[in-house]
């Protein structure tokens, strides 16, 4: 790789083989040197988890001029940590990207998402970071409509960066054309019916994690859920600092 181009670190939670990450590589391959380190298989829902008791392995999957791809047997966070430690000691990435994810990461899904875990880890290392997600869970989803805006966002972040402690969560509706772009807050939502109980023929019960999402403020037009449900691309600035500053005075009066 050449040191005179930006270095972009890419990971995901769908696995190195997923169409979303392959599409992202094709979209921005000319915008910098790409270091890809992604899980060897799907790791959806791993959020910011890392492997404390499992030995990790790296395997080089593909290399060409300006791009090298590695897979890891760990979580998305493991991938970012390993890539930074093993490949970036002498050259810090200019940008960290999570995605493109198959499925949305809006609302409270932010807290479960391995794609956002990638982005939060980059942000915690003070690297401008962004997550891209498409509201389509199909393995063969069409990402072509995302190309112009992804290139625009990546270009702006490479040029201007982001405030310290802030990353971006970008969710695209599953459309060929978008009505526009909205900078939004995260919607309040809840998951219900999350566990499906089954009975095994060998005599024991087991459970699948599933669930139904409910937008608890469907009429709030300033949220990410409203934006993507009405044809807009939702961009949510997300903070690493989760302190509830507006509740500090209340808690102090309550407990001290």
């Amino acid at each position: 790789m050449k040191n005179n181009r930006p270095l972009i670190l890419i990971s995901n939670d769908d696995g190195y083989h997923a169409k979303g990450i392959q599409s992202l590589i094709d979209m921005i391959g000319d915008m910098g040197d790409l270091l890809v380190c992604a899980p060897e298989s799907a790791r959806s829902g791993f959020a910011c988890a890392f492997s404390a008791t499992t030995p990790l392995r790296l395997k080089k999957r593909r290399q060409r001029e300006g791009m090298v791809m590695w897979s890891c047997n760990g979580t998305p966070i493991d991938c970012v940590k390993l890539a930074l430690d093993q490949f970036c000691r002498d050259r810090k990435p200019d940008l960290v990207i999570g995605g493109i994810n198959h499925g949305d990461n809006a609302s409270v899904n932010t807290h479960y998402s391995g794609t956002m875990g990638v982005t939060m880890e980059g942000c915690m290392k003070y690297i401008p970071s962004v997550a891209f997600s498409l509201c389509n869970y199909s393995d063969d989803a069409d990402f072509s409509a995302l190309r112009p805006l992804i290139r625009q966002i990546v270009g702006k972040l490479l040029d201007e960066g982001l405030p310290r402690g802030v990353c971006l969560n970008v969710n695209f509706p599953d459309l060929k054309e978008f009505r526009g772009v909205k900078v939004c807050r995260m919607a309040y939502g809840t998951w219900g019916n999350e566990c499906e109980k089954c009975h095994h023929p060998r005599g024991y019960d087991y459970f699948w994690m599933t669930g139904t999402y409910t937008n608890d403020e469907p009429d709030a037009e300033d949220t990410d859920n409203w934006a993507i449900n009405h044809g807009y691309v939702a961009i949510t600035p997300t903070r690493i600092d989760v302190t509830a500053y507006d509740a500090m005075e209340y808690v102090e009066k309550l407990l001290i």
Side-chain angles (χ1 to χ4, degrees):
M1 293 188 181
K2 302 175 181 178
N3 288 333
N4 60 350
R5 298 209 305 167
L7 178 60
I8 303 172
L9 173 57
I10 298 173
S11 191
N12 71 352
D13 68 3
D14 293 313
Y16 77 94
H17 56 279
K19 185 177 179 181
I21 199 169
Q22 301 292 342
S23 297
L24 178 62
I25 292 168
D26 292 339
M27 290 177 191
I28 65 170
D30 63 329
M31 300 182 73
D33 288 336
L34 307 185
L35 171 59
V36 184
C37 188
E40 63 184 12
S41 59
R43 299 286 190 273
S44 294
F46 273 65
C48 288
F50 66 93
S51 300
T53 59
T54 303
L56 298 174
R57 301 182 306 277
L58 287 167
K59 183 175 181 179
K60 186 181 287 186
R61 296 290 181 171
R62 185 153 53 100
Q63 186 168 6
R64 59 169 169 76
E65 181 65 28
M67 193 282 293
V68 60
M69 172 182 282
W70 296 82
S71 70
C72 170
N73 62 312
T75 70
I77 293 296
D78 292 331
C79 293
V80 177
K81 288 182 179 293
L82 276 171
L84 292 173
D85 182 79
Q86 294 297 303
F87 309 127
C88 300
R89 292 180 181 178
D90 300 322
R91 187 183 176 194
K92 185 177 180 179
D94 298 281
L95 182 66
V96 172
I97 303 179
I100 305 169
N101 191 64
H102 294 245
D104 83 87
N105 281 313
S107 184
V108 292
N109 292 344
T110 300
H111 297 294
Y112 302 114
S113 165
T115 306
M116 277 301 295
V118 168
T119 306
M120 299 287 273
E121 182 67 19
C123 191
M124 285 189 279
K125 297 293 194 293
Y126 308 121
I127 304 170
S129 301
V130 58
F132 295 119
S133 303
L134 174 66
C135 298
N136 185 327
Y137 290 90
S138 170
D139 290 341
D140 194 34
D142 182 2
F143 296 92
S144 58
L146 285 57
R147 181 184 180 92
L149 189 54
I150 283 181
R151 287 182 60 86
Q152 179 182 340
I153 292 171
V154 168
K156 287 287 188 180
L157 294 182
L158 288 173
D159 289 341
E160 305 293 340
L162 286 167
R164 177 170 167 159
V166 174
C167 55
L168 298 183
N169 182 14
V170 183
N171 286 276
F172 294 84
D174 187 25
L175 299 171
K176 298 296 183 184
E177 296 184 3
F178 309 119
R179 293 182 64 185
V181 178
K182 287 187 175 291
V183 177
C184 313
R185 66 175 175 87
M186 187 180 79
Y188 280 95
T190 50
W191 283 89
N193 303 314
E194 295 182 89
C195 304
E196 183 174 343
K197 183 177 181 180
C198 305
H199 189 73
H200 198 278
R202 293 185 178 178
Y204 58 86
D205 293 331
Y206 63 97
F207 302 85
W208 285 107
M209 297 303 294
T210 175
T212 303
Y213 173 78
T214 301
N215 181 356
D216 294 328
E217 43 180 350
D219 297 324
E221 298 184 10
D222 61 340
T223 70
D224 50 8
N225 273 166
W226 189 95
I228 58 179
N229 288 337
H230 289 79
Y232 292 91
V233 178
I235 300 180
T236 305
T238 304
R239 288 193 179 278
I240 294 298
D241 181 358
V242 295
T243 305
Y245 290 100
D246 58 342
M248 290 180 72
E249 183 177 351
Y250 171 82
V251 173
E252 186 172 357
K253 290 179 179 178
L254 179 69
L255 300 176
I256 298 177

